[in-house]
Amino acid sequence: MTDSIIKVVGLTKIYNHTVLAVDHISFEVNRGEIFGLLGPNGAGKSTTIGMLNTLLKPTEGTALIDGIDVTKEPSNVRKIIGVVPQEYTADEDLTGWENVMLIADFYGISRDISRQRAKELLEMVGLTEASKRKVETYSGGMRRRLELAMGLINKPKVLFLDEPTLGLDVQTRTAIWEHIRKLKSEYNMTILVTTHYLEEADEFCDRIAIIDRGKIVKADTPENLKKGVGGDIITIQLTKDGKDVDQALKGIQGVTEVKNNGDGLITLKVIDGGAVAPAIIKAFTQMNLNVTRLTLARPTMDEVYMTYTGRNLREEQATSEETFTMRRTMRTARS
Amino acid sequence: MDEKGINSGPLHGLWAVTNRELKKWYKEPFIFIISLVQPIIWIGLFGKAMNLGEIFSAGSLNIPGLDLPKQIIDSLSQEILKSTFGTTNYFSFLAVGMLSFIVLFSAMSSGMTIVWDRRLGFLNKMLTTPLSRGNVIMGKVLSSVIKALVQAVIVLLIAVLLGLTFSAQFTVFSLAITFFALFLLAMGLSSLFIMLAIRSTRWETQMAIMNLLNLPLLFASNAFYPVKFMPYWLKPIVMVNPLTYANNVARAMLIGVTPTASVAFSVLYLVGFAAIFSFIGIFLSWKYISS
């Protein structure tokens, strides 16, 4: 039996009695798991996280974090969760160290413990040197790492990460994910993360829930999600046009879809391509057709995403990065 | 439920919130100094440039044809000032009024910090920690009160340097009562302006509210001139304005002006003002700080 630490039952949020942002979603997250929420802008990811971290009151339904009800005992939930929001929330006028200590005070952690922890956390995210400087001098990556340290000061059982790598360069993104992985392996921390980057979700999440229009359309391991799209894609090049092969191909165990334009290029959707490929070649040999090339492609998260939401996430990335830039500009305007 | 070394008492984090605001203030001496300039300019312009004492003296007042002795004019003008302001020294009258002025302006800006915290996500960050919602607000109020009182102390010191004369009965006790009144005023006003900002996401709105309220609140009080010569329609407004009561107390205590309402009543009025608004502030913050 798996031990679930987050249990969401029929969670619903309606804004201003009209806008249905999250529509009766239910899911469970296992202890020690990195669970990804994937979905287009406005799908309800941030609203879901907001309800789980007690910032928003659910209109209907509820959620249990380690057995504590977010609607009935929000203040007890707050003690065991850590939140790293999408925005950079650190106070720019204070130093990195002061920011971490400030959050520690919000949790009521006594000074001797919090000093030790703040030191360790800043060390872990590589900000020991910079921690004496004001946050306004930090780069985007440094700010994000500081947010991570701030979110971990209470040693949370569950960490919520909302778009932790948004707007960062590839190198920094990888570094952030390395930290997240370390948390999982060293502290058995459960991490609920939203992300726009499909390849990140694929690589780092144990399970992914695809959320669209306020509903979870699919939740599974990245592996199963990709399998579920219809498996792998095999492309075959023949020397002849091969018009009458469809029937024979469909008869092969594991082939789910055949696309044949009659020009010698055949595309197949198959389950477990590696195992099916030899049978396909054998079938062509029996039909006296020469295969000149066979390529096997595994489906990417892009295809998974496309299949379940009918949208291409990459087109949407631009807009979210624009929003991000706007936020930064505003922040600069302030100082 | 509580781990060792975790304080989850109802007041935990209150000082952290307060100190965060104060740090931003005392670490930026420039902002600190700028905030003091305004009341000092007013003291200079109204208290020194508009020199009422000089205007009513024998040098400038002379009625042709009536060869009134200088002594008569002088004592007459002294009487006019005395009956108008309760003291012959308008500068002292005004300088003490400036104490509530600086408290008002300082408290007004307290609403701005919560708007910024909301916009930059810091407020949300605070709300996901076990910090009590009431403390989020009270920390802001408290920091604003401390700022206001420190500024009032500096304004008072400058006024003394520029010639404020205390009454003969002045003691440390009078000073304590004055600052207690200013404390209550700051508490009520800060709560009020934070309350107005609690759901706001636009600092422009907050600025507009500040600009709408600051001068009317100031001029519809006895900060510049006494209540008794005001038109009948203005008097009721002045008599509910908490600034009036803070000025009453400060003037009675520091320069010995007999107040329109007794010191005891004025202090009580301010206690009520502070209590009601800080209570409503905390109540609303529980209810409306998040959606």
Side-chain angles (χ1 to χ4, degrees), chain B residues 137-180:
Chain B
I137 298 305
M138 282 329 281
K140 298 234 176 241
V141 171
L142 213 59
S143 65
S144 165
V145 168
I146 292 169
K147 281 189 221 176
L149 292 184
V150 170
Q151 286 175 317
V153 168
I154 294 171
V155 167
L156 185 62
L157 286 177
I158 290 167
V160 169
L161 289 179
L162 290 176
L164 171 90
T165 39
F166 290 117
S167 76
Q169 287 80 36
F170 177 77
T171 60
V172 180
F173 180 68
S174 344
L175 202 63
I177 297 277
T178 302
F179 274 87
F180 180 59

mmCIF file of all heavy atoms in Angstrom, chain B residues 137-180:
data_model
loop_
_atom_site.group_PDB
_atom_site.id
_atom_site.type_symbol
_atom_site.label_atom_id
_atom_site.label_comp_id
_atom_site.label_asym_id
_atom_site.label_seq_id
_atom_site.Cartn_x
_atom_site.Cartn_y
_atom_site.Cartn_z
ATOM 1 N N ILE B 137 -1.000 42.505 10.333
ATOM 2 C CA ILE B 137 -1.506 43.871 10.404
ATOM 3 C C ILE B 137 -0.911 44.627 11.586
ATOM 4 O O ILE B 137 -0.438 45.743 11.444
ATOM 5 C CB ILE B 137 -3.050 43.846 10.523
ATOM 6 C CG1 ILE B 137 -3.663 43.200 9.273
ATOM 7 C CG2 ILE B 137 -3.612 45.238 10.728
ATOM 8 C CD1 ILE B 137 -3.243 43.847 7.979
ATOM 9 N N MET B 138 -0.907 43.987 12.769
ATOM 10 C CA MET B 138 -0.417 44.692 13.953
ATOM 11 C C MET B 138 1.067 45.034 13.828
ATOM 12 O O MET B 138 1.511 46.066 14.321
ATOM 13 C CB MET B 138 -0.678 43.858 15.211
ATOM 14 C CG MET B 138 -2.120 43.918 15.697
ATOM 15 S SD MET B 138 -2.979 45.466 15.367
ATOM 16 C CE MET B 138 -2.343 46.526 16.656
ATOM 17 N N GLY B 139 1.829 44.187 13.158
ATOM 18 C CA GLY B 139 3.247 44.483 12.936
ATOM 19 C C GLY B 139 3.409 45.757 12.118
ATOM 20 O O GLY B 139 4.262 46.597 12.405
ATOM 21 N N LYS B 140 2.551 45.897 11.125
ATOM 22 C CA LYS B 140 2.584 47.101 10.292
ATOM 23 C C LYS B 140 2.162 48.324 11.101
ATOM 24 O O LYS B 140 2.775 49.381 11.001
ATOM 25 C CB LYS B 140 1.652 46.938 9.094
ATOM 26 C CG LYS B 140 2.054 45.818 8.185
ATOM 27 C CD LYS B 140 2.195 46.316 6.775
ATOM 28 C CE LYS B 140 2.701 45.231 5.874
ATOM 29 N NZ LYS B 140 3.964 45.551 5.255
ATOM 30 N N VAL B 141 1.109 48.152 11.896
ATOM 31 C CA VAL B 141 0.632 49.265 12.714
ATOM 32 C C VAL B 141 1.724 49.683 13.700
ATOM 33 O O VAL B 141 2.061 50.859 13.820
ATOM 34 C CB VAL B 141 -0.656 48.875 13.472
ATOM 35 C CG1 VAL B 141 -1.039 49.947 14.481
ATOM 36 C CG2 VAL B 141 -1.802 48.642 12.499
ATOM 37 N N LEU B 142 2.290 48.689 14.352
ATOM 38 C CA LEU B 142 3.302 48.957 15.369
ATOM 39 C C LEU B 142 4.510 49.678 14.780
ATOM 40 O O LEU B 142 5.006 50.658 15.353
ATOM 41 C CB LEU B 142 3.743 47.629 15.983
ATOM 42 C CG LEU B 142 4.117 47.653 17.439
ATOM 43 C CD1 LEU B 142 2.965 48.120 18.287
ATOM 44 C CD2 LEU B 142 4.566 46.264 17.874
ATOM 45 N N SER B 143 4.967 49.226 13.622
ATOM 46 C CA SER B 143 6.136 49.870 13.019
ATOM 47 C C SER B 143 5.801 51.301 12.638
ATOM 48 O O SER B 143 6.601 52.217 12.814
ATOM 49 C CB SER B 143 6.621 49.084 11.809
ATOM 50 O OG SER B 143 5.652 49.108 10.805
ATOM 51 N N SER B 144 4.582 51.487 12.158
ATOM 52 C CA SER B 144 4.163 52.830 11.777
ATOM 53 C C SER B 144 4.080 53.744 12.999
ATOM 54 O O SER B 144 4.470 54.912 12.950
ATOM 55 C CB SER B 144 2.817 52.729 11.070
ATOM 56 O OG SER B 144 2.208 53.972 10.972
ATOM 57 N N VAL B 145 3.598 53.188 14.114
ATOM 58 C CA VAL B 145 3.497 53.966 15.355
ATOM 59 C C VAL B 145 4.892 54.370 15.829
ATOM 60 O O VAL B 145 5.130 55.534 16.191
ATOM 61 C CB VAL B 145 2.767 53.140 16.442
ATOM 62 C CG1 VAL B 145 2.910 53.796 17.806
ATOM 63 C CG2 VAL B 145 1.303 52.975 16.085
ATOM 64 N N ILE B 146 5.813 53.407 15.801
ATOM 65 C CA ILE B 146 7.170 53.708 16.266
ATOM 66 C C ILE B 146 7.808 54.791 15.401
ATOM 67 O O ILE B 146 8.380 55.755 15.899
ATOM 68 C CB ILE B 146 8.031 52.423 16.284
ATOM 69 C CG1 ILE B 146 7.501 51.477 17.366
ATOM 70 C CG2 ILE B 146 9.498 52.754 16.531
ATOM 71 C CD1 ILE B 146 8.088 50.083 17.327
ATOM 72 N N LYS B 147 7.639 54.645 14.080
ATOM 73 C CA LYS B 147 8.183 55.662 13.170
ATOM 74 C C LYS B 147 7.602 57.033 13.493
ATOM 75 O O LYS B 147 8.318 58.024 13.575
ATOM 76 C CB LYS B 147 7.818 55.320 11.721
ATOM 77 C CG LYS B 147 8.665 54.251 11.086
ATOM 78 C CD LYS B 147 8.317 54.203 9.605
ATOM 79 C CE LYS B 147 8.231 52.801 9.104
ATOM 80 N NZ LYS B 147 7.811 52.719 7.702
ATOM 81 N N ALA B 148 6.277 57.072 13.654
ATOM 82 C CA ALA B 148 5.585 58.340 13.897
ATOM 83 C C ALA B 148 6.106 58.998 15.171
ATOM 84 O O ALA B 148 6.357 60.203 15.208
ATOM 85 C CB ALA B 148 4.085 58.104 13.978
ATOM 86 N N LEU B 149 6.282 58.194 16.221
ATOM 87 C CA LEU B 149 6.697 58.774 17.498
ATOM 88 C C LEU B 149 8.141 59.267 17.449
ATOM 89 O O LEU B 149 8.458 60.325 18.006
ATOM 90 C CB LEU B 149 6.508 57.756 18.634
ATOM 91 C CG LEU B 149 5.043 57.423 18.939
ATOM 92 C CD1 LEU B 149 4.942 56.498 20.137
ATOM 93 C CD2 LEU B 149 4.208 58.680 19.176
ATOM 94 N N VAL B 150 8.995 58.507 16.764
ATOM 95 C CA VAL B 150 10.386 58.966 16.640
ATOM 96 C C VAL B 150 10.420 60.292 15.882
ATOM 97 O O VAL B 150 11.117 61.241 16.276
ATOM 98 C CB VAL B 150 11.251 57.902 15.913
ATOM 99 C CG1 VAL B 150 12.614 58.463 15.565
ATOM 100 C CG2 VAL B 150 11.392 56.659 16.777
ATOM 101 N N GLN B 151 9.611 60.378 14.832
ATOM 102 C CA GLN B 151 9.566 61.629 14.076
ATOM 103 C C GLN B 151 9.021 62.770 14.917
ATOM 104 O O GLN B 151 9.512 63.891 14.835
ATOM 105 C CB GLN B 151 8.730 61.440 12.812
ATOM 106 C CG GLN B 151 9.484 60.632 11.773
ATOM 107 C CD GLN B 151 8.633 60.321 10.557
ATOM 108 O OE1 GLN B 151 7.480 59.975 10.692
ATOM 109 N NE2 GLN B 151 9.207 60.441 9.392
ATOM 110 N N ALA B 152 8.032 62.475 15.744
ATOM 111 C CA ALA B 152 7.461 63.504 16.610
ATOM 112 C C ALA B 152 8.517 64.015 17.593
ATOM 113 O O ALA B 152 8.599 65.214 17.862
ATOM 114 C CB ALA B 152 6.244 62.954 17.352
ATOM 115 N N VAL B 153 9.328 63.102 18.113
ATOM 116 C CA VAL B 153 10.382 63.514 19.049
ATOM 117 C C VAL B 153 11.334 64.488 18.361
ATOM 118 O O VAL B 153 11.681 65.546 18.911
ATOM 119 C CB VAL B 153 11.175 62.288 19.570
ATOM 120 C CG1 VAL B 153 12.444 62.713 20.290
ATOM 121 C CG2 VAL B 153 10.302 61.449 20.487
ATOM 122 N N ILE B 154 11.704 64.143 17.118
ATOM 123 C CA ILE B 154 12.653 64.997 16.405
ATOM 124 C C ILE B 154 12.031 66.359 16.085
ATOM 125 O O ILE B 154 12.671 67.396 16.252
ATOM 126 C CB ILE B 154 13.158 64.289 15.135
ATOM 127 C CG1 ILE B 154 13.974 63.058 15.562
ATOM 128 C CG2 ILE B 154 14.011 65.217 14.289
ATOM 129 C CD1 ILE B 154 14.363 62.149 14.443
ATOM 130 N N VAL B 155 10.770 66.353 15.667
ATOM 131 C CA VAL B 155 10.100 67.623 15.390
ATOM 132 C C VAL B 155 10.044 68.485 16.645
ATOM 133 O O VAL B 155 10.305 69.689 16.611
ATOM 134 C CB VAL B 155 8.674 67.379 14.825
ATOM 135 C CG1 VAL B 155 7.868 68.662 14.824
ATOM 136 C CG2 VAL B 155 8.766 66.813 13.422
ATOM 137 N N LEU B 156 9.776 67.858 17.776
ATOM 138 C CA LEU B 156 9.695 68.604 19.029
ATOM 139 C C LEU B 156 11.066 69.203 19.375
ATOM 140 O O LEU B 156 11.158 70.375 19.769
ATOM 141 C CB LEU B 156 9.211 67.685 20.156
ATOM 142 C CG LEU B 156 8.953 68.358 21.497
ATOM 143 C CD1 LEU B 156 7.850 69.398 21.394
ATOM 144 C CD2 LEU B 156 8.603 67.339 22.570
ATOM 145 N N LEU B 157 12.116 68.424 19.202
ATOM 146 C CA LEU B 157 13.463 68.918 19.496
ATOM 147 C C LEU B 157 13.798 70.112 18.613
ATOM 148 O O LEU B 157 14.324 71.128 19.098
ATOM 149 C CB LEU B 157 14.496 67.802 19.266
ATOM 150 C CG LEU B 157 14.546 66.701 20.321
ATOM 151 C CD1 LEU B 157 15.554 65.629 19.926
ATOM 152 C CD2 LEU B 157 14.915 67.311 21.685
ATOM 153 N N ILE B 158 13.450 70.021 17.326
ATOM 154 C CA ILE B 158 13.735 71.122 16.409
ATOM 155 C C ILE B 158 12.928 72.362 16.797
ATOM 156 O O ILE B 158 13.437 73.476 16.799
ATOM 157 C CB ILE B 158 13.468 70.699 14.956
ATOM 158 C CG1 ILE B 158 14.545 69.688 14.539
ATOM 159 C CG2 ILE B 158 13.480 71.890 14.013
ATOM 160 C CD1 ILE B 158 14.269 68.956 13.271
ATOM 161 N N ALA B 159 11.666 72.119 17.152
ATOM 162 C CA ALA B 159 10.820 73.240 17.564
ATOM 163 C C ALA B 159 11.411 73.938 18.791
ATOM 164 O O ALA B 159 11.407 75.166 18.885
ATOM 165 C CB ALA B 159 9.410 72.753 17.857
ATOM 166 N N VAL B 160 11.956 73.162 19.719
ATOM 167 C CA VAL B 160 12.563 73.760 20.917
ATOM 168 C C VAL B 160 13.770 74.603 20.514
ATOM 169 O O VAL B 160 13.959 75.728 20.979
ATOM 170 C CB VAL B 160 12.967 72.658 21.925
ATOM 171 C CG1 VAL B 160 13.835 73.239 23.036
ATOM 172 C CG2 VAL B 160 11.728 71.996 22.506
ATOM 173 N N LEU B 161 14.566 74.075 19.595
ATOM 174 C CA LEU B 161 15.732 74.822 19.109
ATOM 175 C C LEU B 161 15.306 76.123 18.456
ATOM 176 O O LEU B 161 15.992 77.136 18.538
ATOM 177 C CB LEU B 161 16.528 73.977 18.107
ATOM 178 C CG LEU B 161 17.304 72.801 18.686
ATOM 179 C CD1 LEU B 161 18.010 72.040 17.576
ATOM 180 C CD2 LEU B 161 18.306 73.290 19.728
ATOM 181 N N LEU B 162 14.145 76.105 17.774
ATOM 182 C CA LEU B 162 13.683 77.293 17.058
ATOM 183 C C LEU B 162 12.914 78.248 17.962
ATOM 184 O O LEU B 162 12.427 79.268 17.506
ATOM 185 C CB LEU B 162 12.800 76.879 15.870
ATOM 186 C CG LEU B 162 13.506 76.186 14.698
ATOM 187 C CD1 LEU B 162 12.508 75.741 13.654
ATOM 188 C CD2 LEU B 162 14.546 77.113 14.081
ATOM 189 N N GLY B 163 12.737 77.895 19.209
ATOM 190 C CA GLY B 163 12.155 78.859 20.122
ATOM 191 C C GLY B 163 10.833 78.477 20.758
ATOM 192 O O GLY B 163 10.128 79.333 21.278
ATOM 193 N N LEU B 164 10.470 77.203 20.727
ATOM 194 C CA LEU B 164 9.268 76.783 21.451
ATOM 195 C C LEU B 164 9.503 76.961 22.946
ATOM 196 O O LEU B 164 10.526 76.538 23.465
ATOM 197 C CB LEU B 164 8.968 75.306 21.139
ATOM 198 C CG LEU B 164 7.868 74.660 21.973
ATOM 199 C CD1 LEU B 164 6.522 74.844 21.292
ATOM 200 C CD2 LEU B 164 8.130 73.191 22.192
ATOM 201 N N THR B 165 8.565 77.637 23.603
ATOM 202 C CA THR B 165 8.734 77.794 25.054
ATOM 203 C C THR B 165 7.669 76.982 25.778
ATOM 204 O O THR B 165 6.481 77.121 25.517
ATOM 205 C CB THR B 165 8.628 79.278 25.477
ATOM 206 O OG1 THR B 165 7.592 79.874 24.694
ATOM 207 C CG2 THR B 165 9.927 80.004 25.272
ATOM 208 N N PHE B 166 8.145 76.117 26.668
ATOM 209 C CA PHE B 166 7.226 75.289 27.451
ATOM 210 C C PHE B 166 6.548 76.128 28.517
ATOM 211 O O PHE B 166 7.045 77.181 28.903
ATOM 212 C CB PHE B 166 8.002 74.152 28.124
ATOM 213 C CG PHE B 166 8.489 73.125 27.148
ATOM 214 C CD1 PHE B 166 9.852 72.907 26.980
ATOM 215 C CD2 PHE B 166 7.597 72.374 26.389
ATOM 216 C CE1 PHE B 166 10.311 71.965 26.090
ATOM 217 C CE2 PHE B 166 8.050 71.422 25.491
ATOM 218 C CZ PHE B 166 9.410 71.221 25.341
ATOM 219 N N SER B 167 5.396 75.660 28.991
ATOM 220 C CA SER B 167 4.699 76.376 30.051
ATOM 221 C C SER B 167 5.447 76.208 31.361
ATOM 222 O O SER B 167 6.319 75.341 31.486
ATOM 223 C CB SER B 167 3.281 75.844 30.197
ATOM 224 O OG SER B 167 3.327 74.603 30.873
ATOM 225 N N ALA B 168 5.105 77.023 32.342
ATOM 226 C CA ALA B 168 5.788 76.983 33.630
ATOM 227 C C ALA B 168 5.548 75.654 34.341
ATOM 228 O O ALA B 168 6.378 75.206 35.130
ATOM 229 C CB ALA B 168 5.311 78.148 34.501
ATOM 230 N N GLN B 169 4.378 75.047 34.038
ATOM 231 C CA GLN B 169 4.030 73.791 34.722
ATOM 232 C C GLN B 169 4.629 72.555 34.051
ATOM 233 O O GLN B 169 4.368 71.432 34.446
ATOM 234 C CB GLN B 169 2.502 73.606 34.768
ATOM 235 C CG GLN B 169 1.786 74.514 35.730
ATOM 236 C CD GLN B 169 1.589 75.897 35.134
ATOM 237 O OE1 GLN B 169 1.349 76.056 33.943
ATOM 238 N NE2 GLN B 169 1.730 76.932 35.967
ATOM 239 N N PHE B 170 5.407 72.774 33.011
ATOM 240 C CA PHE B 170 5.926 71.638 32.235
ATOM 241 C C PHE B 170 6.818 70.704 33.057
ATOM 242 O O PHE B 170 7.728 71.151 33.736
ATOM 243 C CB PHE B 170 6.707 72.162 31.031
ATOM 244 C CG PHE B 170 7.346 71.082 30.220
ATOM 245 C CD1 PHE B 170 6.590 70.310 29.345
ATOM 246 C CD2 PHE B 170 8.705 70.808 30.356
ATOM 247 C CE1 PHE B 170 7.178 69.303 28.617
ATOM 248 C CE2 PHE B 170 9.298 69.800 29.624
ATOM 249 C CZ PHE B 170 8.541 69.048 28.758
ATOM 250 N N THR B 171 6.511 69.410 33.004
ATOM 251 C CA THR B 171 7.349 68.407 33.671
ATOM 252 C C THR B 171 7.528 67.216 32.733
ATOM 253 O O THR B 171 6.949 67.185 31.656
ATOM 254 C CB THR B 171 6.679 67.879 34.962
ATOM 255 O OG1 THR B 171 5.431 67.293 34.561
ATOM 256 C CG2 THR B 171 6.473 68.940 36.000
ATOM 257 N N VAL B 172 8.300 66.247 33.169
ATOM 258 C CA VAL B 172 8.467 65.020 32.383
ATOM 259 C C VAL B 172 7.119 64.331 32.230
ATOM 260 O O VAL B 172 6.819 63.718 31.206
ATOM 261 C CB VAL B 172 9.466 64.075 33.091
ATOM 262 C CG1 VAL B 172 9.646 62.794 32.285
ATOM 263 C CG2 VAL B 172 10.794 64.766 33.281
ATOM 264 N N PHE B 173 6.300 64.479 33.256
ATOM 265 C CA PHE B 173 4.978 63.879 33.252
ATOM 266 C C PHE B 173 4.134 64.432 32.090
ATOM 267 O O PHE B 173 3.464 63.671 31.374
ATOM 268 C CB PHE B 173 4.304 64.163 34.604
ATOM 269 C CG PHE B 173 2.934 63.587 34.719
ATOM 270 C CD1 PHE B 173 2.748 62.205 34.766
ATOM 271 C CD2 PHE B 173 1.824 64.415 34.798
ATOM 272 C CE1 PHE B 173 1.484 61.665 34.871
ATOM 273 C CE2 PHE B 173 0.552 63.876 34.902
ATOM 274 C CZ PHE B 173 0.373 62.510 34.947
ATOM 275 N N SER B 174 4.215 65.753 31.856
ATOM 276 C CA SER B 174 3.460 66.352 30.747
ATOM 277 C C SER B 174 3.923 65.768 29.415
ATOM 278 O O SER B 174 3.126 65.524 28.510
ATOM 279 C CB SER B 174 3.642 67.870 30.691
ATOM 280 O OG SER B 174 4.154 68.386 31.858
ATOM 281 N N LEU B 175 5.222 65.556 29.325
ATOM 282 C CA LEU B 175 5.784 64.991 28.106
ATOM 283 C C LEU B 175 5.250 63.575 27.888
ATOM 284 O O LEU B 175 4.869 63.191 26.770
ATOM 285 C CB LEU B 175 7.312 64.971 28.226
ATOM 286 C CG LEU B 175 8.090 64.910 26.923
ATOM 287 C CD1 LEU B 175 7.835 66.148 26.075
ATOM 288 C CD2 LEU B 175 9.585 64.778 27.204
ATOM 289 N N ALA B 176 5.190 62.814 28.979
ATOM 290 C CA ALA B 176 4.700 61.430 28.892
ATOM 291 C C ALA B 176 3.251 61.393 28.426
ATOM 292 O O ALA B 176 2.887 60.616 27.547
ATOM 293 C CB ALA B 176 4.853 60.740 30.240
ATOM 294 N N ILE B 177 2.423 62.270 29.001
ATOM 295 C CA ILE B 177 1.010 62.314 28.608
ATOM 296 C C ILE B 177 0.877 62.685 27.133
ATOM 297 O O ILE B 177 0.117 62.083 26.376
ATOM 298 C CB ILE B 177 0.239 63.360 29.469
ATOM 299 C CG1 ILE B 177 0.258 62.969 30.935
ATOM 300 C CG2 ILE B 177 -1.190 63.537 28.952
ATOM 301 C CD1 ILE B 177 -0.780 61.974 31.343
ATOM 302 N N THR B 178 1.661 63.680 26.717
ATOM 303 C CA THR B 178 1.625 64.112 25.317
ATOM 304 C C THR B 178 1.926 62.946 24.386
ATOM 305 O O THR B 178 1.204 62.708 23.411
ATOM 306 C CB THR B 178 2.667 65.223 25.084
ATOM 307 O OG1 THR B 178 2.378 66.286 25.974
ATOM 308 C CG2 THR B 178 2.633 65.711 23.652
ATOM 309 N N PHE B 179 3.010 62.226 24.709
ATOM 310 C CA PHE B 179 3.397 61.147 23.796
ATOM 311 C C PHE B 179 2.451 59.954 23.882
ATOM 312 O O PHE B 179 2.293 59.228 22.912
ATOM 313 C CB PHE B 179 4.867 60.757 23.986
ATOM 314 C CG PHE B 179 5.745 61.640 23.150
ATOM 315 C CD1 PHE B 179 6.196 62.860 23.630
ATOM 316 C CD2 PHE B 179 6.049 61.288 21.847
ATOM 317 C CE1 PHE B 179 6.953 63.699 22.836
ATOM 318 C CE2 PHE B 179 6.814 62.121 21.039
ATOM 319 C CZ PHE B 179 7.269 63.330 21.541
ATOM 320 N N PHE B 180 1.816 59.803 25.020
ATOM 321 C CA PHE B 180 0.788 58.761 25.106
ATOM 322 C C PHE B 180 -0.355 59.109 24.150
ATOM 323 O O PHE B 180 -0.852 58.249 23.404
ATOM 324 C CB PHE B 180 0.278 58.632 26.543
ATOM 325 C CG PHE B 180 -0.792 57.583 26.710
ATOM 326 C CD1 PHE B 180 -0.531 56.259 26.380
ATOM 327 C CD2 PHE B 180 -2.057 57.918 27.182
ATOM 328 C CE1 PHE B 180 -1.516 55.288 26.520
ATOM 329 C CE2 PHE B 180 -3.042 56.952 27.329
ATOM 330 C CZ PHE B 180 -2.770 55.637 26.998
#
